[in-house]
Amino acid sequence: MRKKFLIYVIVLIIFLSNGLIFAQQIPSSPTLFNTLRSINASNGQSGEIVVKLTLDQTLPVTPVGVSLNNPSRIYFDLNQVGSGLGKNYQETLEGDLRSINVVQVGDRTRVVLNLVKPMQHDIQMRDNVLLVKLVASPAKETRASPIRIVEASSQKQINTLRDVDFRRGTLGEGRVMVDMTKTNANVDVKQQGDVILVDFANTSLPDNLVRRLDVLDFATPIQTIETTRAGDNVRMVVKPHGRWEHSARQSGSQFILEVRALSNDEEEIEKRKRATGGYTGERLSLNFQDVEVRAILQVIADFTNINIIASDSVGGNLTLRLKDVPWDQALDIVLQVHGLDKRRAGNVIFVAPRKEMADRELLDLEAQLQIAEMEPLRSEIFHLNHRRVNSVSFEGMLSKRGTITLDEISNTVTITDIPTRLTEIRKRIERLDVYERQVMIEARIVEAVDTFSRSLGARFGVQNATNLGSQGLGISGNLAGSSTLAGGGPNAGPNNLNVNLPAAAATGLLGGPAALGLSLMKINNGRLINLELSALETDNKGKVIASPRVVTAHGIEAIIEQGDRIPYQQATSSGATSIRFMDATLKLKVKPLITYNGQIDMELSVNQDRIGAPLNQFLPPPINTKQVTTKILVENGGTVVIGGIFGREENVVVNKVPLLGDIPVIGHLFRNTVRVDNKRELLIFVTPRILSETMNIQ
């Protein structure tokens, strides 16, 4: 009996000692003096919305509500009050009140009223019932009352600003960073007109920080930052410019005020956020003093309705003050402060320390490698329809035990490997073994010619015969005619004009210019004065069109050419001569590339050569060359002008008798005038079209 009694006493002592140790390890939960039992919302007689909160006991201090915009919310905290509702979310259908969120963190319960639009509120305490009246805000009010990031502390504490710094963010936002000595300092942020006022309660400011910072050169919305003393407080005045919005947060002893510019197009802002990996979650505000990280994660989970699973090793406390920030940014801030990381799969977010997360992923990879080394092998034959087997690379696709066999005759690939690798290879072959798209390129070379010429001329003649004493004198258009007239004979020969400057005949036209002959005067004894006026006007318009067309595959260069080859003699090093051929052709060379969005990128070269007129009988004819080489991007079926040459030739030629041709009016009889105005224009049009698998135009 004595031995049994001693054994019983020893067991009892061990049990009690273990119980005491266990009790020391369990943190003591805060003592709650009051409990929230119910929440009801109804419409009042005057059109206001009344929210009724029933508690077990009367609150010693009526809570102060805080209004937030974007989205519109009103929240207030119930100190030393626990939640007995059994749920964190309650949907309402009363006017502009959408829903109510209730979150308990430690010995404090926060009630959030989610609104459709900003509203004014009034909070009253009647016995154990807390009444919140919501009234629509007047239209002229655009901003809510000052937003408090941290509520006033019940105990007066002294804080000191250690440093005030400014930095420019990656997206051009301005960041004012304030380093303080206390982690639980009271900070009040509000907007007054065009400036932002930041008040640090019960805070001292060293002399070297009483200054005004001009940060306009940083190219941010913030122009100046002025920090001054205001009694026992410190006031900071931040003056931005333009259209902007601000947000503030506090982590530990550091306070950060961020001001960013607003764009006129909100859609472009969202695109820029997605492109730069920005935060797009719904905005929230957090105000916690030395609260467990797990409790903050629970608040975020209740706010977003997303499942958050925290590892057993996640612990520690955090003092966090965030105002109107996206919830995903708030989650990243909490994780960064405590060295945590997250992985998301659908509607579940797993949170764990970074090292634990990395070790777990490493174990998963090692397990996959072991499965790959032990998994049985399988063989599969892949038949390629459009590609040749030697044109497809399988490098890096096989495992250590995988083998591959290519059969060019049947155009098949035989692969032996584990099932997972076979699945990846099958997907790759499906992506690569596709129809090679074809492109038809049509080029139109249009050469327009517009020639104009005008020629004016005259022929003038006088015939006369007289005697000077015993000698005869004759006047005619040539010497033979003059001697005949002087001898008393008739005029001989057709060329008997004194001035012979008729209009010139146009090149390539049959016949000559139009002419008008007149006998102006007849004198006795056969004396005549003859005049012949001639004129010619030529207007020629022509158009030459060449349209080479070629079909080629994606990324394959194609050439189409038509024309002549002209032989040339050239000397060799031995002294003999050899024959060299030069091309005078119409040529189209193109290499098309089909882009992902269906456009066509082309490297293009167009030539139009012609054989020119020979210079002389000893030299071969020259080659007139027109060429365009370029790289363009064209839509499917679109037409683009890739080149153009415009030439104009103007000539004025005057043939005249000196002195006589300069006489006004009469001078036209002694001169010939030719005017030439030739225009030539070359345009090259290109139209690419993508062909379908059946060789039809898409």
Side-chain angles (χ1 to χ4, degrees):
M1 285 301 287
R2 186 175 296 177
K3 292 181 179 180
K4 291 183 180 180
F5 179 74
L6 292 175
I7 294 172
Y8 176 77
V9 173
I10 293 172
V11 172
L12 182 61
I13 294 173
I14 294 173
F15 177 78
L16 292 176
S17 61
N18 292 335
L20 292 175
I21 295 173
F22 181 76
Q24 293 177 358
Q25 295 177 351
I26 299 177
S28 59
S29 60
T31 304
L32 301 178
F33 302 101
N34 206 346
T35 304
L36 178 61
R37 297 299 181 183
S38 64
I39 298 179
N40 297 317
S42 62
N43 290 323
Q45 298 180 353
S46 302
E48 74 276 8
I49 301 175
V50 180
V51 181
K52 181 180 179 182
L53 289 79
T54 304
L55 299 93
D56 291 342
Q57 303 177 12
T58 304
L59 296 176
V61 180
T62 302
V64 178
V66 179
S67 300
L68 300 177
N69 293 329
N70 194 20
S72 301
R73 294 191 183 97
I74 298 175
Y75 76 88
F76 52 90
D77 293 335
L78 306 177
N79 297 322
Q80 302 296 328
V81 176
S83 177
L85 302 177
K87 58 182 180 179
N88 298 329
Y89 180 81
Q90 179 176 338
E91 186 176 358
T92 62
L93 301 176
E94 301 295 338
D96 294 332
L97 179 61
R98 296 187 305 173
S99 59
I100 302 174
N101 291 91
V102 179
V103 181
Q104 178 182 350
V105 180
D107 61 346
R108 184 176 60 178
T109 299
R110 171 164 291 185
V111 180
V112 181
L113 306 179
N114 302 309
L115 308 176
V116 177
K117 60 182 181 180
M119 303 182 69
Q120 295 180 352
H121 65 277
D122 182 27
I123 302 178
Q124 299 178 4
M125 190 68 197
R126 299 179 181 178
D127 296 331
N128 63 331
V129 176
L130 186 66
L131 298 178
V132 181
K133 296 182 179 180
L134 304 177
V135 183
S137 300
K140 64 181 183 180
E141 295 185 10
T142 58
R143 301 194 181 273
S145 58
I147 302 175
R148 300 185 63 85
I149 295 182
V150 180
E151 299 174 359
S153 177
S154 59
Q155 298 180 359
K156 185 176 181 179
Q157 299 179 0
I158 299 181
N159 182 33
T160 304
L161 300 187
R162 292 186 294 191
D163 189 19
V164 178
D165 195 9
F166 177 83
R167 294 181 182 178
R168 186 181 187 272
T170 57
L171 300 179
E173 68 272 15
R175 295 176 181 174
V176 182
M177 297 179 293
V178 182
D179 191 12
M180 304 176 294
T181 58
K182 297 293 183 180
T183 60
N184 56 351
N186 299 333
V187 183
D188 184 42
V189 181
K190 58 184 177 183
Q191 181 177 345
Q192 184 175 347
D194 296 334
V195 299
I196 302 174
L197 302 180
V198 183
D199 293 328
F200 300 88
N202 301 319
T203 304
S204 60
L205 182 66
D207 295 336
N208 60 333
L209 297 181
V210 182
R211 58 189 179 183
R212 183 176 183 270
L213 300 178
D214 190 351
V215 295
L216 184 62
D217 295 337
F218 287 86
T220 68
I222 300 179
Q223 290 182 319
T224 59
I225 305 169
E226 186 175 4
T227 310
T228 58
R229 300 187 182 94
D232 296 335
N233 305 329
V234 175
R235 167 162 289 190
M236 178 180 294
V237 181
V238 180
K239 185 178 181 181
H241 69 282
R243 299 178 67 249
W244 49 269
E245 68 175 5
H246 72 281
S247 62
R249 63 179 184 271
Q250 182 178 352
S251 178
S253 61
Q254 188 179 46
F255 171 80
I256 300 176
L257 175 65
E258 185 174 292
V259 181
R260 71 175 186 91
L262 290 179
S263 176
N264 294 326
D265 195 348
E266 296 297 334
E267 185 178 357
E268 291 295 327
I269 295 179
E270 295 298 329
K271 291 182 180 179
R272 186 160 56 252
K273 286 182 178 181
R274 292 191 293 268
T276 57
Y279 300 101
T280 59
E282 191 175 359
R283 297 179 179 270
L284 56 74
S285 298
L286 300 175
N287 177 15
F288 298 117
Q289 300 284 338
D290 195 20
V291 179
E292 294 182 355
V293 176
R294 289 177 171 272
I296 299 177
L297 296 178
Q298 180 183 353
V299 172
I300 297 176
D302 295 335
F303 178 80
T304 59
N305 292 325
I306 296 178
N307 302 314
I308 298 180
I309 301 175
S311 175
D312 295 337
S313 55
V314 176
N317 295 353
L318 179 67
T319 298
L320 185 67
R321 299 174 178 88
L322 299 176
K323 176 257 175 184
D324 202 20
V325 298
W327 70 265
D328 46 355
Q329 184 181 6
L331 179 60
D332 287 345
I333 293 174
V334 174
L335 300 181
Q336 291 173 6
V337 171
H338 281 268
L340 304 176
D341 200 357
K342 68 176 186 302
R343 296 291 185 271
R344 181 167 182 174
N347 197 31
V348 179
I349 298 178
F350 180 75
V351 179
R354 292 193 181 101
K355 187 177 183 306
E356 180 181 341
M357 190 78 71
D359 294 341
R360 184 172 300 177
E361 293 178 351
L362 181 60
L363 291 176
D364 294 339
L365 294 176
E366 292 178 352
Q368 293 177 5
L369 292 176
Q370 292 179 1
I371 293 174
E373 293 178 356
M374 300 175 62
E375 196 172 1
L377 300 178
R378 291 177 51 190
S379 297
E380 188 171 350
I381 300 176
F382 301 94
H383 181 77
L384 278 66
N385 298 319
H386 304 284
R387 301 282 298 272
R388 303 302 302 176
V389 293
N390 54 7
S391 65
V392 180
S393 177
F394 298 94
E395 185 178 358
M397 299 291 295
L398 301 177
S399 64
K400 297 179 180 179
R401 300 185 295 160
T403 59
I404 183 172
T405 303
L406 304 179
D407 188 3
E408 296 184 2
I409 299 177
S410 61
N411 202 34
T412 58
V413 182
T414 304
I415 300 177
T416 302
D417 211 328
I418 60 178
T420 54
R421 294 299 178 93
L422 291 177
T423 303
E424 296 178 0
I425 294 174
R426 186 183 304 107
K427 293 180 180 179
R428 182 170 184 175
I429 292 177
E430 290 176 356
R431 290 195 300 265
L432 298 180
D433 187 26
V434 294
Y435 163 73
E436 195 170 13
R437 307 179 72 179
Q438 308 276 329
V439 182
M440 182 182 67
I441 298 96
E442 180 182 4
R444 292 185 298 277
I445 305 172
V446 181
E447 185 175 3
V449 179
D450 186 0
T451 61
F452 175 82
S453 63
R454 177 181 293 172
S455 179
L456 299 175
R459 298 199 300 175
F460 177 75
V462 177
Q463 297 180 5
N464 186 25
T466 186
N467 293 321
L468 294 177
S470 61
Q471 301 294 328
L473 178 64
I475 300 175
S476 181
N478 52 52
L479 295 178
S482 298
S483 61
T484 302
L485 291 175
N491 183 27
N495 299 323
N496 57 1
L497 299 176
N498 301 96
V499 180
N500 192 4
L501 295 174
T507 303
L509 297 180
L510 299 177
L516 175 64
L518 300 174
S519 296
L520 301 180
M521 186 178 295
K522 181 180 178 182
I523 309 176
N524 295 331
N525 300 324
R527 300 182 182 91
L528 297 175
I529 299 177
N530 297 325
L531 175 65
E532 183 184 79
L533 302 177
S534 60
L536 177 66
E537 182 174 319
T538 305
D539 191 1
N540 182 24
K541 295 182 179 181
K543 182 182 294 184
V544 180
I545 300 177
S547 182
R549 183 182 303 175
V550 64
V551 178
T552 183
H554 166 78
I556 304 300
E557 184 180 79
I559 300 176
I560 186 172
E561 187 174 9
Q562 180 188 13
D564 301 324
R565 304 192 72 188
I566 304 174
Y568 289 87
Q569 288 186 351
Q570 63 179 5
T572 61
S573 58
S574 63
T577 60
S578 63
I579 301 299
R580 178 187 177 189
F581 290 90
M582 299 293 293
D583 295 333
T585 61
L586 174 63
K587 181 179 179 182
L588 172 63
K589 182 172 68 174
V590 61
K591 182 180 180 180
L593 297 174
I594 302 175
T595 62
Y596 180 77
N597 56 355
Q599 294 182 325
I600 303 171
D601 189 3
M602 297 182 295
E603 295 179 2
L604 193 68
S605 178
V606 181
N607 289 70
Q608 189 183 30
D609 302 335
R610 290 182 178 178
I611 302 176
L615 300 178
N616 53 57
Q617 58 181 349
F618 303 103
L619 296 176
I623 298 177
N624 301 326
T625 302
K626 302 179 181 67
Q627 181 180 6
V628 175
T629 301
T630 183
K631 183 177 181 181
I632 57 176
L633 180 65
V634 190
E635 296 182 356
N636 181 24
T639 301
V640 62
V641 182
I642 64 171
I645 300 175
F646 177 79
R648 183 172 184 177
E649 179 183 359
E650 292 182 331
N651 291 323
V652 178
V653 180
V654 179
N655 300 315
K656 64 183 179 179
V657 178
L659 299 179
L660 296 178
D662 297 330
I663 299 175
V665 182
I666 301 177
H668 291 284
L669 304 177
F670 301 94
R671 65 173 180 255
N672 171 266
T673 304
V674 179
R675 298 179 182 271
V676 178
D677 188 1
N678 297 334
K679 301 177 184 178
R680 188 178 298 270
E681 186 174 8
L682 176 66
L683 296 175
I684 300 176
F685 303 86
V686 176
T687 304
R689 294 181 175 90
I690 300 176
L691 303 180
S692 63
E693 190 171 357
T694 58
M695 301 299 292
N696 295 322
I697 298 176
Q698 292 184 356

